[in-house]
Amino acid sequence: NTWGSVGDGTGIDRTTPVMVAMPHDPDSMLSNATVTFASLSENGSAHFCGLDSSGRAYCWGANHFGQLGDGSTTDRLSPVPVTMPSGVRFAKITVGGAHTCAMTTGTTDKQIYCWGLNSNGQLGDGSTTDQLVPELITNPATNLLGVYAAFQNTCANFQSGAYCWGNNSFGQLGDGTTTSSTVPVAVTMPGSANFVSMSLGDIHS
């Protein structure tokens, strides 16, 4: 809990479960009403994120590279609201080593936003510049199904195939090379197969 990854507002390591210090619900008129998370990020190194029932994102923990998305590099001991793009709500949020990505709500026009560390192009914006707030990533295909963050790379699956970007030192992007990429590259799919979901480890997919 050195950087607040437990989220209880203390920074004290915990050996048994403790309640996360839930933020105030901005939709409630009651001063003591708190947010209820509808989902949580499934990975996480030293930071975590959650989505409330309205699709707003909250993050907490280490923030050295802006991975909490609140426009700062200040570590947070309890959940803080991500600076949401205008008119955007998230359906899924995924946490990597020091970056975060999310998929917007929608039917067939879902979009990807990423923020935080970008040293290996894991944000997918064509640069290696860190981002302190969510940045829209250009979809390489249509009908986005999901987005998944790993230690220093990110993948997404679409109706027509899968794409990955970021560090590729061990072939984790799945394109048949070990060349890293700052933009999404197509995964070399086996035969006519397609993926309905994906799972990423530190340096494999």
Side-chain angles (χ1 to χ4, degrees), residues 18-202:
V18 294
M19 182 74 75
V20 171
M22 301 300 288
H24 178 260
D25 185 351
D27 292 332
S28 176
M29 300 293 291
L30 301 175
S31 60
N32 61 346
T34 58
V35 163
T36 298
F37 287 144
S39 64
L40 294 171
S41 54
E42 72 275 14
N43 292 321
S45 174
H47 78 288
F48 290 88
C49 296
L51 298 179
D52 70 11
S53 56
S54 297
R56 284 183 292 252
Y58 297 81
C59 296
W60 60 97
N63 196 28
H64 312 330
F65 306 98
Q67 59 263 49
L68 301 190
D70 66 345
S72 80
T73 55
T74 303
D75 300 338
R76 305 294 185 178
L77 302 181
S78 59
V80 294
V82 172
T83 303
M84 298 293 294
S86 178
V88 167
R89 289 292 182 264
F90 294 140
K92 177 186 179 182
I93 194 162
T94 178
V95 167
H99 75 290
T100 308
C101 291
M103 179 179 73
T104 64
T105 58
T107 52
T108 60
D109 57 348
K110 297 179 178 70
Q111 300 292 322
I112 298 170
Y113 283 82
C114 293
W115 59 96
L117 181 66
N118 198 25
S119 56
N120 288 275
Q122 55 263 52
L123 301 189
D125 64 354
S127 80
T128 54
T129 303
D130 300 343
Q131 297 292 334
L132 304 184
V133 296
E135 176 188 35
L136 178 64
I137 307 305
T138 301
N139 276 348
T142 58
N143 297 333
L144 174 66
L145 301 177
V147 61
Y148 315 85
F151 183 57
Q152 292 181 337
N153 70 287
T154 308
C155 293
N157 61 316
F158 297 80
Q159 194 71 47
S160 58
Y163 291 78
C164 294
W165 56 96
N167 190 5
N168 196 28
S169 301
F170 299 93
Q172 57 263 51
L173 301 190
D175 66 344
T177 77
T178 54
T179 302
S180 299
S181 179
T182 61
V183 295
V185 294
V187 174
T188 303
M189 301 298 290
S192 60
N194 199 10
F195 298 144
V196 295
S197 66
M198 300 178 72
S199 177
L200 276 59
D202 280 354

Side-chain angles (χ1 to χ4, degrees), residues 1-14 77:
N1 201 21
T2 302
W3 298 288
S5 50
V6 173
D8 66 343
T10 69
I12 299 170
D13 294 348
R14 302 294 187 179
L77 302 181

